Amino acid sequence: MKEQFLHINLIIRLSLYELKGKYQMHYLGVLWQILNPFMLIGIYWFVFGLGIRGGAPVGETPFFLWLLSGIVPWIFINQAINQGSNSVHSKVNLVSKMKFPVSVLPTIKILGVSFSFFAMLLVTIIVLLLNGVFSGYYLLQLPYYLLCLYFLVFGLTLLLSTMTTIIRDIQNIVQSIMRIMIYMLPIVWNVDRLPDIFVDILKLNPFFYIIVGFRDTLIGGAWFFDDPAYSLYFWFISIFILLIGCSVHVKFRHKFVDYI
């Protein structure tokens, strides 16, 4: 964690450099950071909102707005974990040819996808307001859920980037799990109709806490302290993942070049 703060300027510069380089030859440039996710959202809305649900709302909330409030943080999670888990292996030149703080590589990827995430989050809030859906005071807990989001994603990417460097199969496993996980979370479908036992099993996934939290924040409905037991569970799992990720990273990072 100390390395992240000591090299914050390096992280920002490299994130901006990668972002500019990625879309340098595109006419629309960084606009693709927003266009691609919203095209994906449109597909999910067409399939699940119009096709499967027939345009029916979720409670009193139109399905598109309900979907938007949950899928925006998920797109960030999906991109950050997929890119962050491969961050060390993809930067083999930096790792092997100079003294480089390897632990900042996942953070660079996380920050890189954060630009589009915050742009999409702002657009989401505007769309909700235009449709008369304003959560009011619930929006005050947005910084809390952003902290939860970045804390968990950082711990996971630190762990997975180390494991992926040692065992390349991990990257394929991560990609497969992330494709499946969207259907195991309340993103494109409502879990309220499931028996309580199944909901409790799905809630073991810490990302469930984040998706529901963002939806409660953007649309309104609940405070994070309304369920203290579940909040404690989330932080226990997140801190555990971070500790494991830090331990594994420190143990193996001096051998990354050998594995690569």
Side-chain angles (χ1 to χ4, degrees), residues 208-224:
F208 191 105
Y209 179 83
I210 292 175
I211 298 300
V212 172
F214 268 88
R215 185 167 283 136
D216 287 338
T217 299
L218 297 174
I219 295 179
W223 295 97
F224 69 90

Side-chain angles (χ1 to χ4, degrees), residues 153-190:
V153 168
F154 173 73
L156 268 176
T157 52
L158 188 64
L159 174 61
L160 293 174
S161 63
T162 303
M163 295 175 63
T164 298
T165 305
I166 300 171
I167 307 172
R168 286 299 297 158
D169 294 334
I170 297 295
Q171 180 66 19
N172 293 330
I173 295 173
V174 169
Q175 292 175 350
S176 299
I177 291 176
M178 297 306 290
R179 292 191 192 102
I180 297 171
M181 195 182 298
I182 188 174
Y183 304 107
M184 304 299 293
L185 294 169
I187 299 173
V188 296
W189 61 289
N190 191 7

Side-chain angles (χ1 to χ4, degrees), residues 9-26 29-30 32-33 79-80 82-95 100 102 104-115:
N9 291 329
L10 175 65
I11 293 171
I12 295 174
R13 288 201 306 270
L14 288 180
S15 296
L16 291 173
Y17 175 78
E18 286 193 358
L19 186 62
K20 292 178 181 178
K22 184 177 180 181
Y23 297 100
Q24 188 174 9
M25 302 303 293
H26 296 72
V30 295
W32 284 111
Q33 287 275 86
Q79 292 178 339
N82 277 317
Q83 295 182 29
S85 61
N86 196 42
S87 58
V88 175
H89 189 272
S90 63
K91 296 297 181 182
V92 59
N93 292 331
L94 290 176
V95 175
F100 188 86
V102 186
V104 306
L105 290 175
T107 309
I108 291 171
K109 295 296 184 180
I110 293 172
L111 184 59
V113 297
S114 293
F115 298 115

Side-chain angles (χ1 to χ4, degrees), residues 53 55-69 128 131 133 215 218-220:
R53 296 182 58 87
V58 179
E60 298 180 357
T61 306
F63 180 79
F64 178 74
L65 302 180
W66 184 88
L67 170 69
L68 191 62
S69 61
L128 290 172
N131 285 272
V133 179
R215 185 167 283 136
L218 297 174
I219 295 179

